[in-house]
Amino acid sequence: MKILLRLSIFFFLLASCGSQQETANAELQDPDFTIAFGSCNKQDEKQPLWRPILKNEPDVFVWGGDNIYADSRNMKEIEAGYKEQKKNKNYQKMLASVEVMGTWDDHDYGKNDGGAAWEYRDESQQLFLDFFNVPEDSERRDRRGVYEAQTFKTEEGSLKIISLDTRYFRTPLKKSDDPDKRYEPSEGDMLGAEQWQWLEQELVNSEADFNVIMSSIQVLSKEHGFETWGNFPDEVEKLKSIIRYSGAKNVILLSGDRHISEFSKTEVDGLGYPLIDFTSSGLTHVYEEFSGEPNQYRVGKVVNKISFGLLKFDFDKGLVLMEMRGKKNRLLQEYRQIYP
């Protein structure tokens, strides 16, 4: 049994924002399970975060999308981008020692803000599966979309990671007349009927102690006018409803895309815990000029430095320590939550 060391546990949600230093009471020295994740990674730029990620000894790394940048109708260019990323020496060390899974977003999908109308989505999907070394005889090769789920079991507890595809089935977005916003809310479909049915079954049938859902775009933050689940408000409510009635334990949302990192939180009727959306973006570049934007669900501050996300689990205590870490493994912000 792994031991929780020097951690003061509070029975309410506690945010510790803007910390630049490691603190003894902010770490699980030996967590039962650790997830690392990140998004927005340019394959032809310096990638200084793989070593810090590995220093945390994650059990799994989850790509959050924009794993490479290769907006192109030419599939050879996308293929070349994936091959270049795989050649990165420090990423190779990751592949050699850590389970890797994840989803895509628009720039590795092949079209900026692209959705179901992208004519090369099927060809792009096969290249994505090649990047993740998915066997040729896998059912994922014949399934529309790149969504997947994996369950991880330890002696202390279990955890399911559900990776969604917010590209393949997504209907068109409504352009905004507001010059400060790209899109505005409208009716539409984010996941498509097939994926919605699959997600529902994955949650209903889950016996895991925690269920972590990876969405390439933010689920809760909705006021900024860029891509977000909030552009389809009914889809947000549908997701909350499925989480609530599925009976799946302790659901946590992860997201990327924005070139900033932040924590968002909301209360959902019928859930015995807050629903948290942990956004981590990006791995190689960020919105350095960020000067602020509204997010009614934000807890803490926006981090606009390159960073990756960590989730450290103590199954026995129901504790999850969520961290944003940057160069040299520096702690940029943390959030702690006790789950029932």
Side-chain angles (χ1 to χ4, degrees):
M1 187 67 157
K2 295 187 178 181
I3 299 172
L4 182 66
L5 185 62
R6 298 196 303 271
L7 178 63
S8 298
I9 298 178
F10 298 87
F11 291 93
F12 56 86
L13 193 62
L14 175 64
S16 175
C17 304
S19 175
Q20 295 291 321
Q21 302 295 326
E22 304 286 352
T23 55
N25 67 346
E27 293 187 354
L28 287 164
Q29 187 191 45
D30 192 15
D32 296 329
F33 197 89
T34 299
I35 296 174
F37 78 104
S39 62
C40 302
N41 177 80
K42 289 185 176 180
Q43 68 275 14
D44 54 356
E45 290 193 3
K46 292 181 178 180
Q47 299 178 27
L49 297 183
W50 296 121
R51 287 185 178 180
I53 290 171
L54 284 170
K55 185 176 181 180
N56 290 279
E57 300 182 344
D59 295 280
V60 60
F61 177 81
V62 184
W63 281 107
D66 291 338
N67 311 322
I68 62 168
Y69 278 67
D71 301 68
S72 178
R73 300 166 64 89
N74 185 339
M75 293 299 103
K76 289 185 177 180
E77 292 185 11
I78 296 179
E79 182 180 20
Y82 280 132
K83 286 182 176 179
E84 183 172 359
Q85 178 57 37
K86 271 193 170 180
K87 290 179 181 178
N88 182 283
K89 292 182 178 180
N90 288 319
Y91 181 62
Q92 288 178 353
K93 293 178 181 179
M94 170 76 70
L95 291 174
S97 59
V98 179
E99 180 83 18
V100 176
M101 60 180 295
T103 190
W104 58 12
D105 202 40
D106 52 347
H107 296 296
D108 41 353
Y109 186 55
K111 182 177 176 59
N112 186 43
D113 292 356
W118 175 230
E119 58 191 300
Y120 295 103
R121 59 181 181 169
D122 292 317
E123 293 86 346
S124 183
Q125 176 177 333
Q126 296 304 312
L127 296 176
F128 172 93
L129 297 176
D130 290 343
F131 178 65
F132 283 87
N133 299 318
V134 175
E136 291 295 331
D137 60 352
S138 169
E139 64 177 11
R140 296 184 65 197
R141 292 285 182 176
D142 298 319
R143 187 171 67 193
R144 303 196 308 160
V146 302
Y147 54 92
E148 69 162 327
Q150 292 190 45
T151 299
F152 300 86
K153 297 181 179 181
T154 72
E155 292 181 359
E156 294 79 15
S158 59
L159 181 147
K160 176 179 275 191
I161 299 177
I162 300 173
S163 184
L164 299 179
D165 185 335
T166 64
R167 293 291 160 191
Y168 193 97
F169 302 96
R170 200 216 65 215
T171 54
L173 300 168
K174 182 179 180 180
K175 293 185 178 180
S176 177
D177 294 328
D178 185 337
D180 296 325
K181 295 184 177 181
R182 187 176 296 173
Y183 304 111
E184 62 182 51
S186 64
E187 294 183 355
D189 192 342
M190 183 66 72
L191 301 183
E194 299 170 36
Q195 188 177 186
W196 273 118
Q197 183 179 14
W198 170 86
L199 173 61
E200 181 176 354
Q201 290 303 308
E202 288 293 337
L203 289 173
V204 168
N205 296 330
S206 177
E207 298 179 353
D209 298 299
F210 286 90
N211 292 273
V212 177
I213 298 177
M214 180 77 243
S215 166
S216 65
I217 60 174
Q218 290 183 306
V219 179
L220 296 183
S221 179
K222 62 181 182 179
E223 299 157 73
H224 47 71
F226 296 100
E227 285 199 287
T228 167
W229 278 67
N231 290 321
F232 299 143
D234 290 345
E235 296 291 87
V236 178
E237 294 309 309
K238 184 175 182 179
L239 178 62
K240 291 178 181 178
S241 178
I242 289 176
I243 290 172
R244 181 177 62 249
Y245 75 67
S246 70
K249 298 178 183 177
N250 304 329
V251 175
I252 301 170
L253 306 176
L254 307 181
S255 57
D257 176 58
R258 294 297 320 288
H259 302 176
I260 58 172
S261 297
E262 64 179 342
F263 298 112
S264 302
K265 182 203 76 169
T266 190
E267 301 292 336
V268 177
D269 290 341
L271 284 185
Y273 56 89
L275 186 61
I276 295 174
D277 183 354
F278 180 179
T279 302
S280 183
S281 173
L283 290 168
T284 60
H285 58 294
V286 291
Y287 184 16
E288 294 181 354
E289 296 78 21
F290 179 85
S291 59
E293 67 182 31
N295 176 4
Q296 62 183 299
Y297 302 113
R298 182 182 299 131
V299 181
K301 66 174 185 177
V302 169
V303 170
N304 62 336
K305 299 178 180 179
I306 65 169
S307 64
F308 60 93
L310 284 180
L311 294 91
K312 301 176 180 179
F313 295 83
D314 183 296
F315 292 120
D316 183 58
K317 293 181 171 60
L319 171 68
V320 183
L321 176 61
M322 309 178 197
E323 300 177 337
M324 300 172 192
R325 289 184 175 268
K327 292 180 179 179
K328 299 181 179 180
N329 204 35
R330 177 173 294 182
L331 180 64
L332 303 176
Q333 189 168 195
E334 67 178 21
Y335 211 92
R336 285 177 278 172
Q337 176 64 43
I338 300 289
Y339 289 84

